[in-house]
Amino acid sequence: GSVELPLNVPKSMFDRELDFYGISSVESAVCQQSLAQVTNAFRKEFANAKSKNDMFLLALESQYQYGMKEPNSNGFVPVQISKG
């Protein structure tokens, strides 16, 4: 397996702990993320959450309009949605 260390735990300290318990680590199995990597991952998660929130708001608005209007002569309920 592999381990990703938080920013406040130095890799050298983690290696000492492994050594104390007699566990040998493979060089690529323990890595520490840089602040840039953490920030980039956070931005991606935030963009994903914002996109889901925007879709939810559009669906909520369309449902509200659908519930508040009467069907037209064709039996359809017109709904106007714009993103902006």
Side-chain angles (χ1 to χ4, degrees):
S2 63
V3 177
E4 287 185 19
L5 299 176
L7 291 174
N8 61 344
V9 177
K11 183 179 179 309
S12 60
M13 187 173 104
F14 187 76
D15 286 337
R16 281 194 302 269
E17 290 289 320
L18 289 177
D19 187 49
F20 177 80
Y21 291 104
I23 302 170
S24 60
S25 67
V26 178
E27 187 61 35
S28 63
V30 179
C31 63
Q32 187 168 12
Q33 290 184 317
S34 68
L35 184 55
Q37 290 170 320
V38 171
T39 302
N40 192 28
F42 178 74
R43 277 186 162 190
K44 287 179 183 178
E45 282 295 318
F46 180 77
N48 187 27
K50 186 175 180 336
S51 173
K52 287 181 180 180
N53 183 57
D54 290 347
M55 288 186 283
F56 175 76
L57 291 176
L58 290 174
L60 184 63
E61 176 62 24
S62 64
Q63 180 64 30
Y64 172 75
Q65 288 183 29
Y66 178 81
M68 297 301 289
K69 294 181 180 179
E70 294 293 324
N72 61 19
S73 60
N74 297 331
F76 295 105
V77 178
V79 175
Q80 296 288 329
I81 299 293
S82 64
K83 185 179 178 189

